[in-house]
Amino acid sequence: MEDITAYIKKTLVISYPPEEINLFIRLILSNICGISYLQQILCKDKQIPENEKERIYTITERLKKQEPIQYILGETEFYSLPMKVNPSVLIPRPETEELVDMIIKSSFIKQRQGNTPIRILDIGTGSGCIAIALAKHIPHAEVSATDISEPALQTAQTNALLNNTDIRFYRSDILDTPSTLAAITGNFDIIVSNPPYVKNCESKEMSPNVLNFEPHSALFVPDETPLLFYKAIVGLACHKLAPKGMICFEINPQCDVLATKMLYDNGFMKVEIIRDLSGKNRFVFAIK
């Protein structure tokens, strides 16, 4: 095993910091060889079969080209739940886990404890990570999710089955409000979304593993209309969010003031901007 770890470190040393390479080694040995982290520490002289070595060589070369490890392995973890991922969906971020955690622990949810269903709509679901985590952790949640991408919806459905959650999926374009209203049935107590919010001008600051591999349609918005998707979602919420229902967004920190004004202008109240763990204004919650 030591020869393989030495090979990975030597191959990737120019491209990644040591702590990230160590994480890659841990993930690769676990996923390809079935060697747990504890075994990796205690059994460094363990022999790895040649067929597994060949797979590791291929993975390492792909990592050298900045391809995300999550896409290479085809899976990741979100809110301690397993998720299948592929280039049709964004790789779930820690900030989005924060958003889910805030919703689950919110006073809005606590005040609705009981047997009454809490109806939740996740817009732009991608891998389904938000919808699935909420369905797993909110008692009596009835969760629906929508996305414009059929491959993304197929991935989300796979993840829903993987995590034993019952979620209703819709294919719709949120920017086409009439068709979305026609496609999605019922009203909701919570509408949540992590829509595209990175301005095109910010792309030059992004790392190659994001820019070259993750779906741009799920990342970017025109510089001149940074709230493009938020306005459409708020327009939908005016019809589909129940009175005193909650809307929850992950946002571009550069647009916190614009997002706040947009919500107040559309009749929402108790608009709250919340910082992520890095101190950036990343989330907005509001009540209809």
Side-chain angles (χ1 to χ4, degrees):
M1 187 165 62
E2 286 186 310
D3 59 330
I4 281 294
T5 59
Y7 165 79
I8 296 172
K9 289 178 180 179
K10 181 179 178 181
T11 305
L12 301 181
V13 66
I14 297 175
S15 306
Y16 299 94
E19 60 272 15
E20 194 164 4
I21 295 173
N22 288 333
L23 176 60
F24 291 156
I25 291 170
R26 178 178 175 179
L27 290 172
I28 290 169
L29 292 177
S30 174
N31 281 265
I32 304 304
C33 308
I35 303 174
S36 70
Y37 185 47
L38 182 60
Q39 289 175 314
Q40 293 173 34
I41 296 171
L42 300 178
C43 308
K44 295 184 182 297
D45 57 346
K46 182 178 178 64
Q47 295 299 307
I48 295 175
E50 284 302 317
N51 65 318
E52 292 179 356
K53 284 185 178 181
E54 290 299 324
R55 292 178 66 189
I56 293 171
Y57 296 149
T58 300
I59 289 170
T60 306
E61 286 302 312
R62 291 171 70 179
L63 285 169
K64 189 177 178 181
K65 297 175 183 177
Q66 299 288 322
E67 186 173 352
I69 186 71
Q70 296 91 337
Y71 286 161
I72 296 172
L73 298 177
E75 61 185 41
T76 189
E77 189 177 272
F78 180 85
Y79 211 73
S80 299
L81 300 171
M83 296 287 163
K84 300 294 183 183
V85 291
N86 54 62
S88 71
V89 300
L90 288 181
I91 297 165
R93 267 52 173 192
E95 293 85 1
T96 309
E97 288 185 306
E98 292 181 53
L99 174 63
V100 165
D101 192 61
M102 289 174 188
I103 295 171
I104 292 169
K105 296 176 180 177
S106 68
S107 58
F108 186 92
I109 295 297
K110 292 176 182 176
Q111 290 167 4
R112 285 161 174 76
Q113 294 294 347
N115 296 323
T116 304
I118 298 175
R119 301 158 298 174
I120 301 171
L121 175 63
D122 174 28
I123 297 176
T125 195
S127 65
C129 60
I130 293 176
I132 291 165
L134 294 177
K136 290 290 285 188
H137 292 280
I138 297 177
H140 310 295
E142 294 181 355
V143 183
S144 300
T146 179
D147 204 287
I148 190 174
S149 166
E150 185 62 39
L153 285 172
Q154 290 173 0
T155 303
Q157 288 168 337
T158 297
N159 285 325
L161 289 172
L162 177 65
N163 287 282
N164 194 31
T165 51
D166 182 15
I167 295 172
R168 180 176 294 178
F169 290 100
Y170 300 91
R171 185 181 181 188
S172 68
D173 178 1
I174 188 60
L175 298 181
D176 184 353
T177 303
S179 67
T180 302
L181 285 170
I184 299 173
T185 59
N187 291 331
F188 300 91
D189 302 298
I190 298 173
I191 292 179
V192 57
S193 185
N194 175 24
Y197 63 67
V198 181
K199 292 188 285 186
N200 285 325
C201 65
E202 297 177 275
S203 63
K204 59 181 179 294
E205 303 169 10
M206 302 183 77
S207 59
N209 65 327
V210 175
L211 198 58
N212 297 339
F213 293 97
E214 299 202 54
H216 285 200
S217 61
L219 284 168
F220 296 109
V221 288
D223 297 343
E224 62 275 12
T225 54
L227 297 184
L228 176 66
F229 288 93
Y230 298 96
K231 289 180 178 178
I233 294 166
V234 166
L236 180 75
C238 290
H239 297 277
K240 289 292 184 180
L241 189 63
K244 298 184 180 180
M246 182 169 68
I247 196 165
C248 320
F249 290 134
E250 184 173 329
I251 63 169
N252 187 327
Q254 297 181 16
C255 299
D256 54 348
V257 174
L258 288 174
T260 300
K261 183 178 186 302
M262 175 198 65
L263 286 162
Y264 277 126
D265 287 349
N266 281 274
F268 283 81
M269 58 184 182
K270 297 182 181 178
V271 180
E272 183 180 10
I273 297 289
I274 304 173
R275 293 180 178 180
D276 62 20
L277 291 177
S278 65
K280 295 181 179 179
N281 288 345
R282 182 72 61 184
F283 314 106
V284 58
F285 285 61
I287 301 297
K288 184 178 178 181

